[in-house]
PDB file of all heavy atoms in Angstrom:
ATOM      1  N   ARG A 464      98.234 108.403 119.908  1.00 93.00           N
ATOM      2  CA  ARG A 464      97.802 107.383 120.854  1.00 93.00           C
ATOM      3  C   ARG A 464      97.921 105.976 120.174  1.00 93.00           C
ATOM      4  O   ARG A 464      97.842 105.004 120.892  1.00 93.00           O
ATOM      5  CB  ARG A 464      96.351 107.525 121.242  1.00 93.00           C
ATOM      6  CG  ARG A 464      96.147 108.520 122.352  1.00 93.00           C
ATOM      7  CD  ARG A 464      94.660 108.823 122.562  1.00 93.00           C
ATOM      8  NE  ARG A 464      93.894 107.572 122.700  1.00 93.00           N
ATOM      9  CZ  ARG A 464      93.575 107.098 123.939  1.00 93.00           C
ATOM     10  NH1 ARG A 464      94.062 107.624 125.011  1.00 93.00           N
ATOM     11  NH2 ARG A 464      92.855 105.959 124.008  1.00 93.00           N
TER      12      ARG A 464
ATOM     13  N   TYR B  35      85.585 112.242 125.588  1.00 93.00           N
ATOM     14  CA  TYR B  35      85.804 111.341 124.427  1.00 93.00           C
ATOM     15  C   TYR B  35      84.566 110.552 124.179  1.00 93.00           C
ATOM     16  O   TYR B  35      83.908 110.015 125.073  1.00 93.00           O
ATOM     17  CB  TYR B  35      86.946 110.385 124.779  1.00 93.00           C
ATOM     18  CG  TYR B  35      88.250 111.092 124.784  1.00 93.00           C
ATOM     19  CD1 TYR B  35      88.946 111.262 125.985  1.00 93.00           C
ATOM     20  CD2 TYR B  35      88.808 111.634 123.648  1.00 93.00           C
ATOM     21  CE1 TYR B  35      90.168 111.989 126.033  1.00 93.00           C
ATOM     22  CE2 TYR B  35      90.048 112.304 123.669  1.00 93.00           C
ATOM     23  CZ  TYR B  35      90.665 112.429 124.846  1.00 93.00           C
ATOM     24  OH  TYR B  35      91.870 113.159 124.894  1.00 93.00           O
ATOM     25  N   VAL B  44      86.482 113.885 130.267  1.00 95.00           N
ATOM     26  CA  VAL B  44      87.821 113.760 130.794  1.00 95.00           C
ATOM     27  C   VAL B  44      88.256 115.108 131.415  1.00 95.00           C
ATOM     28  O   VAL B  44      88.805 115.068 132.477  1.00 95.00           O
ATOM     29  CB  VAL B  44      88.793 113.364 129.603  1.00 95.00           C
ATOM     30  CG1 VAL B  44      90.169 113.344 130.093  1.00 95.00           C
ATOM     31  CG2 VAL B  44      88.411 112.043 129.016  1.00 95.00           C
ATOM     32  N   PRO B  63      97.348 111.263 138.911  1.00 91.00           N
ATOM     33  CA  PRO B  63      97.477 109.832 138.588  1.00 91.00           C
ATOM     34  C   PRO B  63      97.068 109.522 137.109  1.00 91.00           C
ATOM     35  O   PRO B  63      96.577 110.377 136.435  1.00 91.00           O
ATOM     36  CB  PRO B  63      96.440 109.217 139.541  1.00 91.00           C
ATOM     37  CG  PRO B  63      95.489 110.276 139.846  1.00 91.00           C
ATOM     38  CD  PRO B  63      96.223 111.550 139.754  1.00 91.00           C
ATOM     39  N   SER B  64      97.399 108.328 136.770  1.00 91.00           N
ATOM     40  CA  SER B  64      97.072 107.911 135.370  1.00 91.00           C
ATOM     41  C   SER B  64      95.614 108.059 135.155  1.00 91.00           C
ATOM     42  O   SER B  64      94.777 107.650 135.986  1.00 91.00           O
ATOM     43  CB  SER B  64      97.585 106.509 135.230  1.00 91.00           C
ATOM     44  OG  SER B  64      97.327 106.071 133.880  1.00 91.00           O
ATOM     45  N   GLY B  65      95.226 108.576 134.021  1.00 92.00           N
ATOM     46  CA  GLY B  65      93.818 108.685 133.659  1.00 92.00           C
ATOM     47  C   GLY B  65      93.167 109.955 134.168  1.00 92.00           C
ATOM     48  O   GLY B  65      91.970 110.128 133.966  1.00 92.00           O
ATOM     49  N   SER B  66      93.911 110.775 134.775  1.00 94.00           N
ATOM     50  CA  SER B  66      93.348 112.027 135.359  1.00 94.00           C
ATOM     51  C   SER B  66      93.082 113.128 134.315  1.00 94.00           C
ATOM     52  O   SER B  66      92.423 114.093 134.556  1.00 94.00           O
ATOM     53  CB  SER B  66      94.195 112.553 136.477  1.00 94.00           C
ATOM     54  OG  SER B  66      95.505 112.750 136.036  1.00 94.00           O
ATOM     55  N   GLY B  67      93.654 112.975 133.130  1.00 95.00           N
ATOM     56  CA  GLY B  67      93.380 113.924 132.077  1.00 95.00           C
ATOM     57  C   GLY B  67      94.619 114.776 131.741  1.00 95.00           C
ATOM     58  O   GLY B  67      94.488 115.812 130.963  1.00 95.00           O
ATOM     59  N   LYS B  68      95.791 114.399 132.193  1.00 95.00           N
ATOM     60  CA  LYS B  68      96.990 115.236 131.984  1.00 95.00           C
ATOM     61  C   LYS B  68      97.291 115.337 130.459  1.00 95.00           C
ATOM     62  O   LYS B  68      97.515 116.439 129.962  1.00 95.00           O
ATOM     63  CB  LYS B  68      98.237 114.573 132.654  1.00 95.00           C
ATOM     64  CG  LYS B  68      98.098 114.427 134.165  1.00 95.00           C
ATOM     65  CD  LYS B  68      99.364 113.842 134.754  1.00 95.00           C
ATOM     66  CE  LYS B  68      99.725 112.483 134.261  1.00 95.00           C
ATOM     67  NZ  LYS B  68      98.756 111.421 134.736  1.00 95.00           N
ATOM     68  N   THR B  69      97.329 114.195 129.779  1.00 96.00           N
ATOM     69  CA  THR B  69      97.647 114.179 128.382  1.00 96.00           C
ATOM     70  C   THR B  69      96.604 114.946 127.616  1.00 96.00           C
ATOM     71  O   THR B  69      96.954 115.738 126.718  1.00 96.00           O
ATOM     72  CB  THR B  69      97.720 112.714 127.880  1.00 96.00           C
ATOM     73  OG1 THR B  69      98.701 112.047 128.588  1.00 96.00           O
ATOM     74  CG2 THR B  69      98.100 112.681 126.390  1.00 96.00           C
ATOM     75  N   THR B  70      95.340 114.779 128.002  1.00 96.00           N
ATOM     76  CA  THR B  70      94.267 115.500 127.250  1.00 96.00           C
ATOM     77  C   THR B  70      94.515 116.976 127.351  1.00 96.00           C
ATOM     78  O   THR B  70      94.404 117.744 126.388  1.00 96.00           O
ATOM     79  CB  THR B  70      92.925 115.087 127.832  1.00 96.00           C
ATOM     80  OG1 THR B  70      92.844 113.643 127.799  1.00 96.00           O
ATOM     81  CG2 THR B  70      91.811 115.720 127.098  1.00 96.00           C
ATOM     82  N   GLU B 191     104.876 113.005 130.177  1.00 95.00           N
ATOM     83  CA  GLU B 191     105.481 111.924 130.895  1.00 95.00           C
ATOM     84  C   GLU B 191     106.848 111.563 130.233  1.00 95.00           C
ATOM     85  O   GLU B 191     107.093 110.421 129.856  1.00 95.00           O
ATOM     86  CB  GLU B 191     104.627 110.663 130.845  1.00 95.00           C
ATOM     87  CG  GLU B 191     103.187 111.000 131.205  1.00 95.00           C
ATOM     88  CD  GLU B 191     102.682 110.256 132.431  1.00 95.00           C
ATOM     89  OE1 GLU B 191     103.490 109.627 133.204  1.00 95.00           O
ATOM     90  OE2 GLU B 191     101.462 110.322 132.749  1.00 95.00           O
TER      91      GLU B 191
HETATM   92  N1  ADP C   1      90.988 109.136 122.343  1.00 82.19           N
HETATM   93  C1  ADP C   1      90.385 108.711 123.450  1.00 82.19           C
HETATM   94  N2  ADP C   1      89.262 107.981 123.356  1.00 82.19           N
HETATM   95  C2  ADP C   1      88.644 107.541 124.500  1.00 82.19           C
HETATM   96  N3  ADP C   1      89.071 107.707 125.724  1.00 82.19           N
HETATM   97  C3  ADP C   1      90.245 108.464 125.866  1.00 82.19           C
HETATM   98  C4  ADP C   1      90.960 108.927 124.766  1.00 82.19           C
HETATM   99  N4  ADP C   1      92.014 109.585 125.193  1.00 82.19           N
HETATM  100  C5  ADP C   1      91.997 109.480 126.556  1.00 82.19           C
HETATM  101  N5  ADP C   1      90.915 108.802 126.964  1.00 82.19           N
HETATM  102  C6  ADP C   1      90.546 108.492 128.342  1.00 82.19           C
HETATM  103  O1  ADP C   1      90.453 109.751 128.979  1.00 82.19           O
HETATM  104  C7  ADP C   1      91.019 109.612 130.297  1.00 82.19           C
HETATM  105  C8  ADP C   1      92.124 110.580 130.504  1.00 82.19           C
HETATM  106  O2  ADP C   1      93.135 110.245 129.708  1.00 82.19           O
HETATM  107  P1  ADP C   1      94.535 111.005 129.672  1.00 82.19           P
HETATM  108  O3  ADP C   1      94.292 112.456 129.372  1.00 82.19           O
HETATM  109  O4  ADP C   1      95.441 110.327 128.699  1.00 82.19           O
HETATM  110  O5  ADP C   1      95.055 110.827 131.093  1.00 82.19           O
HETATM  111  P2  ADP C   1      96.488 110.829 131.678  1.00 82.19           P
HETATM  112  O6  ADP C   1      97.428 111.325 130.680  1.00 82.19           O
HETATM  113  O7  ADP C   1      96.463 111.660 132.848  1.00 82.19           O
HETATM  114  O8  ADP C   1      96.788 109.438 132.057  1.00 82.19           O
HETATM  115  C9  ADP C   1      91.434 108.186 130.432  1.00 82.19           C
HETATM  116  O9  ADP C   1      90.422 107.506 131.126  1.00 82.19           O
HETATM  117  C10 ADP C   1      91.587 107.670 129.044  1.00 82.19           C
HETATM  118  O10 ADP C   1      91.233 106.318 128.961  1.00 82.19           O
END
Side-chain angles (χ1 to χ4, degrees):
Chain A
R464 277 172 55 92
Chain B
Y35 291 110
V44 176
S64 184
S66 55
K68 302 182 296 291
T69 300
T70 305
E191 313 239 14

